[in-house]
Amino acid sequence: MIDTYFPLGMQHYLAGGLLIGLAVSALYLGTGLVGGMSSVFSTVWSWFSRCPGFQREDFLRSRNWRLLFAAGLVLGAALWRYGLGNPVPVTEIPVPYLLIGGFIAGFGARLGNGCTSGHGICGVASLNLLSLLAVLVFLGVAIITAQLVRGLGL
């Protein structure tokens, strides 16, 4: 059964999870800042958009390190792919579905005042009750959605 769900093995998922956990732990312990990706996304937009929502003082103060944080994620993925010669995972999901899913996930992250990395990794680790509730809602909705999509044959 494991081979069905993880045809390339589980070791790279474990390594990635450990590295992400170490990175956000070091960030939080070293600076007291939460490394959630929805705030990284919004902060990066503060470089390009003059909309008041992106020009908040906390975004402007933290945008340098958040831009480096995002660049490190991209660089890490590039090193994994090109430095180690690992295959790129391929999906059969059509691009419009991926775009719609990304929009829905981004909207949900803003609506929930954070994403799974902010709430799930940083919030739960700091014993934040609202983050735990958010993660339970994320997981519950994801499980229900996956079952509905599977049941409808999409």
Side-chain angles (χ1 to χ4, degrees), residues 103-153:
F103 176 79
I104 291 170
F107 180 79
R110 291 285 32 139
L111 184 66
N113 199 27
C115 59
T116 52
S117 62
H119 285 299
I121 297 170
C122 303
V124 172
S126 62
L127 304 177
N128 184 308
L129 181 59
L130 290 177
S131 288
L132 177 61
L133 291 173
V135 169
L136 292 174
V137 169
F138 295 158
L139 289 174
V141 170
I143 290 167
I144 291 167
T145 302
Q147 294 304 312
L148 286 173
V149 167
R150 184 177 181 203
L152 294 172

mmCIF file of all heavy atoms in Angstrom, residues 103-153:
data_model
loop_
_atom_site.group_PDB
_atom_site.id
_atom_site.type_symbol
_atom_site.label_atom_id
_atom_site.label_comp_id
_atom_site.label_asym_id
_atom_site.label_seq_id
_atom_site.Cartn_x
_atom_site.Cartn_y
_atom_site.Cartn_z
ATOM 1 N N PHE A 103 -6.310 29.365 -6.329
ATOM 2 C CA PHE A 103 -7.090 30.547 -5.953
ATOM 3 C C PHE A 103 -7.912 30.271 -4.694
ATOM 4 O O PHE A 103 -7.933 31.083 -3.765
ATOM 5 C CB PHE A 103 -8.003 30.989 -7.096
ATOM 6 C CG PHE A 103 -8.889 32.142 -6.735
ATOM 7 C CD1 PHE A 103 -8.386 33.435 -6.722
ATOM 8 C CD2 PHE A 103 -10.210 31.929 -6.376
ATOM 9 C CE1 PHE A 103 -9.195 34.508 -6.366
ATOM 10 C CE2 PHE A 103 -11.020 32.994 -6.026
ATOM 11 C CZ PHE A 103 -10.517 34.283 -6.019
ATOM 12 N N ILE A 104 -8.569 29.129 -4.655
ATOM 13 C CA ILE A 104 -9.394 28.778 -3.490
ATOM 14 C C ILE A 104 -8.526 28.648 -2.240
ATOM 15 O O ILE A 104 -8.882 29.142 -1.167
ATOM 16 C CB ILE A 104 -10.197 27.485 -3.750
ATOM 17 C CG1 ILE A 104 -11.269 27.753 -4.812
ATOM 18 C CG2 ILE A 104 -10.826 26.957 -2.470
ATOM 19 C CD1 ILE A 104 -11.951 26.495 -5.319
ATOM 20 N N ALA A 105 -7.368 28.001 -2.379
ATOM 21 C CA ALA A 105 -6.470 27.849 -1.231
ATOM 22 C C ALA A 105 -5.952 29.206 -0.755
ATOM 23 O O ALA A 105 -5.880 29.467 0.455
ATOM 24 C CB ALA A 105 -5.307 26.939 -1.594
ATOM 25 N N GLY A 106 -5.597 30.081 -1.688
ATOM 26 C CA GLY A 106 -5.124 31.415 -1.316
ATOM 27 C C GLY A 106 -6.207 32.237 -0.642
ATOM 28 O O GLY A 106 -5.962 32.921 0.363
ATOM 29 N N PHE A 107 -7.417 32.169 -1.172
ATOM 30 C CA PHE A 107 -8.545 32.872 -0.558
ATOM 31 C C PHE A 107 -8.792 32.338 0.852
ATOM 32 O O PHE A 107 -8.983 33.110 1.794
ATOM 33 C CB PHE A 107 -9.799 32.713 -1.422
ATOM 34 C CG PHE A 107 -11.001 33.394 -0.861
ATOM 35 C CD1 PHE A 107 -11.155 34.767 -1.000
ATOM 36 C CD2 PHE A 107 -11.974 32.672 -0.184
ATOM 37 C CE1 PHE A 107 -12.263 35.413 -0.467
ATOM 38 C CE2 PHE A 107 -13.081 33.307 0.350
ATOM 39 C CZ PHE A 107 -13.230 34.681 0.205
ATOM 40 N N GLY A 108 -8.756 31.029 0.994
ATOM 41 C CA GLY A 108 -8.963 30.421 2.308
ATOM 42 C C GLY A 108 -7.880 30.800 3.305
ATOM 43 O O GLY A 108 -8.154 31.025 4.485
ATOM 44 N N ALA A 109 -6.649 30.900 2.820
ATOM 45 C CA ALA A 109 -5.552 31.298 3.707
ATOM 46 C C ALA A 109 -5.746 32.720 4.218
ATOM 47 O O ALA A 109 -5.501 33.012 5.389
ATOM 48 C CB ALA A 109 -4.216 31.169 2.984
ATOM 49 N N ARG A 110 -6.185 33.605 3.344
ATOM 50 C CA ARG A 110 -6.443 34.985 3.776
ATOM 51 C C ARG A 110 -7.643 35.021 4.711
ATOM 52 O O ARG A 110 -7.636 35.720 5.724
ATOM 53 C CB ARG A 110 -6.692 35.905 2.573
ATOM 54 C CG ARG A 110 -5.488 36.146 1.744
ATOM 55 C CD ARG A 110 -4.434 37.101 2.330
ATOM 56 N NE ARG A 110 -4.314 37.087 3.760
ATOM 57 C CZ ARG A 110 -3.180 37.135 4.454
ATOM 58 N NH1 ARG A 110 -2.044 37.226 3.852
ATOM 59 N NH2 ARG A 110 -3.150 37.121 5.750
ATOM 60 N N LEU A 111 -8.696 34.280 4.375
ATOM 61 C CA LEU A 111 -9.897 34.255 5.201
ATOM 62 C C LEU A 111 -9.602 33.678 6.584
ATOM 63 O O LEU A 111 -10.105 34.158 7.593
ATOM 64 C CB LEU A 111 -10.986 33.437 4.501
ATOM 65 C CG LEU A 111 -12.347 33.381 5.170
ATOM 66 C CD1 LEU A 111 -12.993 34.763 5.174
ATOM 67 C CD2 LEU A 111 -13.244 32.388 4.450
ATOM 68 N N GLY A 112 -8.757 32.643 6.627
ATOM 69 C CA GLY A 112 -8.410 31.996 7.890
ATOM 70 C C GLY A 112 -7.270 32.657 8.631
ATOM 71 O O GLY A 112 -6.774 32.127 9.617
ATOM 72 N N ASN A 113 -6.843 33.825 8.145
ATOM 73 C CA ASN A 113 -5.756 34.578 8.769
ATOM 74 C C ASN A 113 -4.479 33.749 8.884
ATOM 75 O O ASN A 113 -3.790 33.782 9.887
ATOM 76 C CB ASN A 113 -6.178 35.123 10.134
ATOM 77 C CG ASN A 113 -5.293 36.258 10.589
ATOM 78 O OD1 ASN A 113 -4.714 36.960 9.760
ATOM 79 N ND2 ASN A 113 -5.179 36.437 11.885
ATOM 80 N N GLY A 114 -4.204 32.966 7.847
ATOM 81 C CA GLY A 114 -2.985 32.171 7.825
ATOM 82 C C GLY A 114 -3.186 30.899 7.036
ATOM 83 O O GLY A 114 -4.303 30.538 6.663
ATOM 84 N N CYS A 115 -2.092 30.240 6.761
ATOM 85 C CA CYS A 115 -2.123 29.032 5.940
ATOM 86 C C CYS A 115 -1.738 27.822 6.787
ATOM 87 O O CYS A 115 -1.492 27.933 7.980
ATOM 88 C CB CYS A 115 -1.168 29.189 4.760
ATOM 89 S SG CYS A 115 0.541 29.485 5.270
ATOM 90 N N THR A 116 -1.651 26.693 6.129
ATOM 91 C CA THR A 116 -1.324 25.472 6.868
ATOM 92 C C THR A 116 0.077 25.528 7.454
ATOM 93 O O THR A 116 0.309 24.966 8.519
ATOM 94 C CB THR A 116 -1.450 24.231 5.957
ATOM 95 O OG1 THR A 116 -0.702 24.450 4.769
ATOM 96 C CG2 THR A 116 -2.886 23.956 5.615
ATOM 97 N N SER A 117 1.009 26.188 6.807
ATOM 98 C CA SER A 117 2.351 26.254 7.392
ATOM 99 C C SER A 117 2.372 27.180 8.599
ATOM 100 O O SER A 117 3.003 26.879 9.612
ATOM 101 C CB SER A 117 3.393 26.681 6.353
ATOM 102 O OG SER A 117 3.132 27.967 5.849
ATOM 103 N N GLY A 118 1.685 28.301 8.515
ATOM 104 C CA GLY A 118 1.648 29.207 9.657
ATOM 105 C C GLY A 118 0.902 28.618 10.837
ATOM 106 O O GLY A 118 1.380 28.623 11.967
ATOM 107 N N HIS A 119 -0.302 28.108 10.568
ATOM 108 C CA HIS A 119 -1.102 27.524 11.648
ATOM 109 C C HIS A 119 -0.599 26.133 12.027
ATOM 110 O O HIS A 119 -0.442 25.819 13.199
ATOM 111 C CB HIS A 119 -2.577 27.420 11.236
ATOM 112 C CG HIS A 119 -3.304 28.717 11.248
ATOM 113 N ND1 HIS A 119 -3.471 29.482 12.374
ATOM 114 C CD2 HIS A 119 -3.920 29.396 10.244
ATOM 115 C CE1 HIS A 119 -4.157 30.575 12.083
ATOM 116 N NE2 HIS A 119 -4.436 30.543 10.790
ATOM 117 N N GLY A 120 -0.371 25.300 11.021
ATOM 118 C CA GLY A 120 -0.050 23.897 11.289
ATOM 119 C C GLY A 120 1.327 23.659 11.851
ATOM 120 O O GLY A 120 1.509 22.825 12.735
ATOM 121 N N ILE A 121 2.303 24.373 11.352
ATOM 122 C CA ILE A 121 3.668 24.156 11.840
ATOM 123 C C ILE A 121 3.968 25.076 13.010
ATOM 124 O O ILE A 121 4.357 24.640 14.087
ATOM 125 C CB ILE A 121 4.695 24.357 10.705
ATOM 126 C CG1 ILE A 121 4.463 23.323 9.604
ATOM 127 C CG2 ILE A 121 6.108 24.245 11.242
ATOM 128 C CD1 ILE A 121 5.250 23.572 8.340
ATOM 129 N N CYS A 122 3.767 26.368 12.809
ATOM 130 C CA CYS A 122 4.151 27.341 13.840
ATOM 131 C C CYS A 122 3.101 27.477 14.936
ATOM 132 O O CYS A 122 3.433 27.477 16.122
ATOM 133 C CB CYS A 122 4.409 28.700 13.198
ATOM 134 S SG CYS A 122 5.669 28.665 11.912
ATOM 135 N N GLY A 123 1.832 27.599 14.545
ATOM 136 C CA GLY A 123 0.776 27.812 15.533
ATOM 137 C C GLY A 123 0.568 26.637 16.464
ATOM 138 O O GLY A 123 0.477 26.802 17.683
ATOM 139 N N VAL A 124 0.490 25.438 15.898
ATOM 140 C CA VAL A 124 0.289 24.248 16.732
ATOM 141 C C VAL A 124 1.507 24.008 17.622
ATOM 142 O O VAL A 124 1.375 23.669 18.792
ATOM 143 C CB VAL A 124 -0.036 23.013 15.864
ATOM 144 C CG1 VAL A 124 -0.048 21.748 16.689
ATOM 145 C CG2 VAL A 124 -1.389 23.193 15.175
ATOM 146 N N ALA A 125 2.702 24.225 17.061
ATOM 147 C CA ALA A 125 3.923 24.026 17.850
ATOM 148 C C ALA A 125 3.998 24.981 19.029
ATOM 149 O O ALA A 125 4.571 24.641 20.066
ATOM 150 C CB ALA A 125 5.153 24.196 16.960
ATOM 151 N N SER A 126 3.395 26.171 18.897
ATOM 152 C CA SER A 126 3.399 27.120 20.008
ATOM 153 C C SER A 126 2.147 26.983 20.875
ATOM 154 O O SER A 126 1.861 27.847 21.695
ATOM 155 C CB SER A 126 3.547 28.551 19.498
ATOM 156 O OG SER A 126 2.451 28.899 18.682
ATOM 157 N N LEU A 127 1.399 25.882 20.665
ATOM 158 C CA LEU A 127 0.219 25.541 21.461
ATOM 159 C C LEU A 127 -0.887 26.594 21.363
ATOM 160 O O LEU A 127 -1.603 26.856 22.329
ATOM 161 C CB LEU A 127 0.598 25.302 22.923
ATOM 162 C CG LEU A 127 1.662 24.226 23.159
ATOM 163 C CD1 LEU A 127 2.015 24.133 24.629
ATOM 164 C CD2 LEU A 127 1.214 22.884 22.611
ATOM 165 N N ASN A 128 -1.044 27.186 20.190
ATOM 166 C CA ASN A 128 -2.099 28.170 19.949
ATOM 167 C C ASN A 128 -3.396 27.433 19.631
ATOM 168 O O ASN A 128 -3.477 26.716 18.638
ATOM 169 C CB ASN A 128 -1.682 29.078 18.788
ATOM 170 C CG ASN A 128 -2.671 30.177 18.536
ATOM 171 O OD1 ASN A 128 -3.865 29.936 18.389
ATOM 172 N ND2 ASN A 128 -2.169 31.397 18.476
ATOM 173 N N LEU A 129 -4.406 27.613 20.465
ATOM 174 C CA LEU A 129 -5.677 26.897 20.317
ATOM 175 C C LEU A 129 -6.374 27.238 19.000
ATOM 176 O O LEU A 129 -6.912 26.355 18.331
ATOM 177 C CB LEU A 129 -6.602 27.191 21.491
ATOM 178 C CG LEU A 129 -7.955 26.482 21.476
ATOM 179 C CD1 LEU A 129 -7.773 24.970 21.461
ATOM 180 C CD2 LEU A 129 -8.800 26.908 22.650
ATOM 181 N N LEU A 130 -6.358 28.514 18.599
ATOM 182 C CA LEU A 130 -7.002 28.895 17.337
ATOM 183 C C LEU A 130 -6.303 28.247 16.140
ATOM 184 O O LEU A 130 -6.949 27.865 15.170
ATOM 185 C CB LEU A 130 -7.042 30.412 17.190
ATOM 186 C CG LEU A 130 -7.991 31.131 18.151
ATOM 187 C CD1 LEU A 130 -7.900 32.638 17.974
ATOM 188 C CD2 LEU A 130 -9.418 30.650 17.968
ATOM 189 N N SER A 131 -4.988 28.112 16.211
ATOM 190 C CA SER A 131 -4.271 27.438 15.133
ATOM 191 C C SER A 131 -4.641 25.961 15.073
ATOM 192 O O SER A 131 -4.809 25.395 13.992
ATOM 193 C CB SER A 131 -2.757 27.587 15.313
ATOM 194 O OG SER A 131 -2.354 28.905 15.026
ATOM 195 N N LEU A 132 -4.772 25.333 16.231
ATOM 196 C CA LEU A 132 -5.186 23.925 16.259
ATOM 197 C C LEU A 132 -6.576 23.773 15.644
ATOM 198 O O LEU A 132 -6.796 22.869 14.831
ATOM 199 C CB LEU A 132 -5.170 23.393 17.687
ATOM 200 C CG LEU A 132 -5.651 21.949 17.851
ATOM 201 C CD1 LEU A 132 -4.772 20.984 17.066
ATOM 202 C CD2 LEU A 132 -5.688 21.566 19.313
ATOM 203 N N LEU A 133 -7.497 24.651 15.987
ATOM 204 C CA LEU A 133 -8.837 24.594 15.401
ATOM 205 C C LEU A 133 -8.781 24.825 13.893
ATOM 206 O O LEU A 133 -9.482 24.150 13.133
ATOM 207 C CB LEU A 133 -9.745 25.619 16.065
ATOM 208 C CG LEU A 133 -10.122 25.334 17.521
ATOM 209 C CD1 LEU A 133 -10.876 26.516 18.113
ATOM 210 C CD2 LEU A 133 -10.930 24.060 17.624
ATOM 211 N N ALA A 134 -7.956 25.773 13.460
ATOM 212 C CA ALA A 134 -7.821 26.042 12.021
ATOM 213 C C ALA A 134 -7.300 24.804 11.299
ATOM 214 O O ALA A 134 -7.810 24.435 10.234
ATOM 215 C CB ALA A 134 -6.888 27.230 11.784
ATOM 216 N N VAL A 135 -6.307 24.138 11.861
ATOM 217 C CA VAL A 135 -5.750 22.939 11.233
ATOM 218 C C VAL A 135 -6.802 21.837 11.160
ATOM 219 O O VAL A 135 -6.921 21.145 10.143
ATOM 220 C CB VAL A 135 -4.492 22.462 11.983
ATOM 221 C CG1 VAL A 135 -4.048 21.086 11.525
ATOM 222 C CG2 VAL A 135 -3.359 23.471 11.794
ATOM 223 N N LEU A 136 -7.588 21.672 12.202
ATOM 224 C CA LEU A 136 -8.647 20.663 12.181
ATOM 225 C C LEU A 136 -9.676 20.980 11.094
ATOM 226 O O LEU A 136 -10.143 20.073 10.399
ATOM 227 C CB LEU A 136 -9.306 20.558 13.551
ATOM 228 C CG LEU A 136 -8.424 19.974 14.658
ATOM 229 C CD1 LEU A 136 -9.131 20.053 16.012
ATOM 230 C CD2 LEU A 136 -8.018 18.546 14.343
ATOM 231 N N VAL A 137 -10.003 22.251 10.923
ATOM 232 C CA VAL A 137 -10.934 22.645 9.854
ATOM 233 C C VAL A 137 -10.297 22.391 8.491
ATOM 234 O O VAL A 137 -10.933 21.837 7.589
ATOM 235 C CB VAL A 137 -11.375 24.119 10.001
ATOM 236 C CG1 VAL A 137 -12.121 24.602 8.769
ATOM 237 C CG2 VAL A 137 -12.242 24.288 11.245
ATOM 238 N N PHE A 138 -9.023 22.784 8.313
ATOM 239 C CA PHE A 138 -8.324 22.546 7.040
ATOM 240 C C PHE A 138 -8.373 21.072 6.675
ATOM 241 O O PHE A 138 -8.718 20.695 5.555
ATOM 242 C CB PHE A 138 -6.843 22.947 7.121
ATOM 243 C CG PHE A 138 -6.555 24.399 7.324
ATOM 244 C CD1 PHE A 138 -5.334 24.791 7.860
ATOM 245 C CD2 PHE A 138 -7.463 25.385 6.988
ATOM 246 C CE1 PHE A 138 -5.031 26.127 8.037
ATOM 247 C CE2 PHE A 138 -7.178 26.730 7.173
ATOM 248 C CZ PHE A 138 -5.953 27.102 7.702
ATOM 249 N N LEU A 139 -7.986 20.231 7.630
ATOM 250 C CA LEU A 139 -7.933 18.789 7.364
ATOM 251 C C LEU A 139 -9.321 18.214 7.101
ATOM 252 O O LEU A 139 -9.497 17.401 6.194
ATOM 253 C CB LEU A 139 -7.259 18.057 8.524
ATOM 254 C CG LEU A 139 -5.767 18.278 8.658
ATOM 255 C CD1 LEU A 139 -5.247 17.615 9.929
ATOM 256 C CD2 LEU A 139 -5.020 17.740 7.448
ATOM 257 N N GLY A 140 -10.287 18.623 7.891
ATOM 258 C CA GLY A 140 -11.646 18.124 7.698
ATOM 259 C C GLY A 140 -12.199 18.477 6.330
ATOM 260 O O GLY A 140 -12.746 17.620 5.618
ATOM 261 N N VAL A 141 -12.037 19.727 5.939
ATOM 262 C CA VAL A 141 -12.526 20.155 4.622
ATOM 263 C C VAL A 141 -11.760 19.446 3.506
ATOM 264 O O VAL A 141 -12.350 19.021 2.504
ATOM 265 C CB VAL A 141 -12.430 21.691 4.472
ATOM 266 C CG1 VAL A 141 -12.691 22.135 3.042
ATOM 267 C CG2 VAL A 141 -13.407 22.368 5.429
ATOM 268 N N ALA A 142 -10.457 19.273 3.676
ATOM 269 C CA ALA A 142 -9.658 18.575 2.660
ATOM 270 C C ALA A 142 -10.103 17.128 2.497
ATOM 271 O O ALA A 142 -10.233 16.622 1.373
ATOM 272 C CB ALA A 142 -8.179 18.636 3.021
ATOM 273 N N ILE A 143 -10.356 16.453 3.593
ATOM 274 C CA ILE A 143 -10.784 15.051 3.532
ATOM 275 C C ILE A 143 -12.156 14.944 2.866
ATOM 276 O O ILE A 143 -12.368 14.106 1.980
ATOM 277 C CB ILE A 143 -10.789 14.433 4.944
ATOM 278 C CG1 ILE A 143 -9.351 14.261 5.441
ATOM 279 C CG2 ILE A 143 -11.526 13.094 4.955
ATOM 280 C CD1 ILE A 143 -9.232 13.946 6.924
ATOM 281 N N ILE A 144 -13.075 15.806 3.265
ATOM 282 C CA ILE A 144 -14.419 15.785 2.670
ATOM 283 C C ILE A 144 -14.345 16.110 1.177
ATOM 284 O O ILE A 144 -14.969 15.427 0.349
ATOM 285 C CB ILE A 144 -15.354 16.759 3.410
ATOM 286 C CG1 ILE A 144 -15.643 16.239 4.816
ATOM 287 C CG2 ILE A 144 -16.649 16.987 2.636
ATOM 288 C CD1 ILE A 144 -16.295 17.270 5.741
ATOM 289 N N THR A 145 -13.568 17.125 0.814
ATOM 290 C CA THR A 145 -13.433 17.507 -0.594
ATOM 291 C C THR A 145 -12.829 16.379 -1.419
ATOM 292 O O THR A 145 -13.317 16.068 -2.516
ATOM 293 C CB THR A 145 -12.580 18.778 -0.727
ATOM 294 O OG1 THR A 145 -13.185 19.825 0.028
ATOM 295 C CG2 THR A 145 -12.441 19.200 -2.184
ATOM 296 N N ALA A 146 -11.781 15.751 -0.902
ATOM 297 C CA ALA A 146 -11.148 14.644 -1.629
ATOM 298 C C ALA A 146 -12.130 13.496 -1.842
ATOM 299 O O ALA A 146 -12.178 12.896 -2.927
ATOM 300 C CB ALA A 146 -9.912 14.159 -0.874
ATOM 301 N N GLN A 147 -12.924 13.204 -0.844
ATOM 302 C CA GLN A 147 -13.893 12.117 -0.969
ATOM 303 C C GLN A 147 -14.998 12.479 -1.969
ATOM 304 O O GLN A 147 -15.434 11.636 -2.749
ATOM 305 C CB GLN A 147 -14.484 11.759 0.385
ATOM 306 C CG GLN A 147 -13.474 11.164 1.354
ATOM 307 C CD GLN A 147 -12.794 9.934 0.767
ATOM 308 O OE1 GLN A 147 -13.425 9.036 0.238
ATOM 309 N NE2 GLN A 147 -11.466 9.901 0.873
ATOM 310 N N LEU A 148 -15.439 13.738 -1.948
ATOM 311 C CA LEU A 148 -16.452 14.185 -2.920
ATOM 312 C C LEU A 148 -15.919 14.132 -4.355
ATOM 313 O O LEU A 148 -16.595 13.646 -5.258
ATOM 314 C CB LEU A 148 -16.926 15.596 -2.592
ATOM 315 C CG LEU A 148 -17.851 15.736 -1.389
ATOM 316 C CD1 LEU A 148 -18.098 17.220 -1.089
ATOM 317 C CD2 LEU A 148 -19.173 15.022 -1.642
ATOM 318 N N VAL A 149 -14.717 14.631 -4.542
ATOM 319 C CA VAL A 149 -14.116 14.630 -5.889
ATOM 320 C C VAL A 149 -13.932 13.199 -6.369
ATOM 321 O O VAL A 149 -14.239 12.877 -7.517
ATOM 322 C CB VAL A 149 -12.770 15.397 -5.870
ATOM 323 C CG1 VAL A 149 -11.980 15.157 -7.132
ATOM 324 C CG2 VAL A 149 -13.016 16.884 -5.670
ATOM 325 N N ARG A 150 -13.477 12.334 -5.495
ATOM 326 C CA ARG A 150 -13.287 10.928 -5.846
ATOM 327 C C ARG A 150 -14.617 10.269 -6.163
ATOM 328 O O ARG A 150 -14.764 9.533 -7.151
ATOM 329 C CB ARG A 150 -12.589 10.185 -4.727
ATOM 330 C CG ARG A 150 -12.271 8.761 -5.037
ATOM 331 C CD ARG A 150 -11.515 8.139 -3.894
ATOM 332 N NE ARG A 150 -11.192 6.771 -4.199
ATOM 333 C CZ ARG A 150 -10.945 5.851 -3.287
ATOM 334 N NH1 ARG A 150 -10.977 6.176 -2.010
ATOM 335 N NH2 ARG A 150 -10.666 4.632 -3.644
ATOM 336 N N GLY A 151 -15.633 10.548 -5.352
ATOM 337 C CA GLY A 151 -16.953 9.977 -5.555
ATOM 338 C C GLY A 151 -17.611 10.442 -6.837
ATOM 339 O O GLY A 151 -18.362 9.688 -7.478
ATOM 340 N N LEU A 152 -17.317 11.669 -7.246
ATOM 341 C CA LEU A 152 -17.875 12.204 -8.480
ATOM 342 C C LEU A 152 -17.059 11.793 -9.708
ATOM 343 O O LEU A 152 -17.442 12.075 -10.837
ATOM 344 C CB LEU A 152 -17.950 13.731 -8.415
ATOM 345 C CG LEU A 152 -18.930 14.293 -7.373
ATOM 346 C CD1 LEU A 152 -18.764 15.810 -7.267
ATOM 347 C CD2 LEU A 152 -20.365 13.936 -7.747
ATOM 348 N N GLY A 153 -15.931 11.139 -9.471
ATOM 349 C CA GLY A 153 -15.094 10.670 -10.575
ATOM 350 C C GLY A 153 -14.302 11.754 -11.279
ATOM 351 O O GLY A 153 -13.918 11.600 -12.435
#
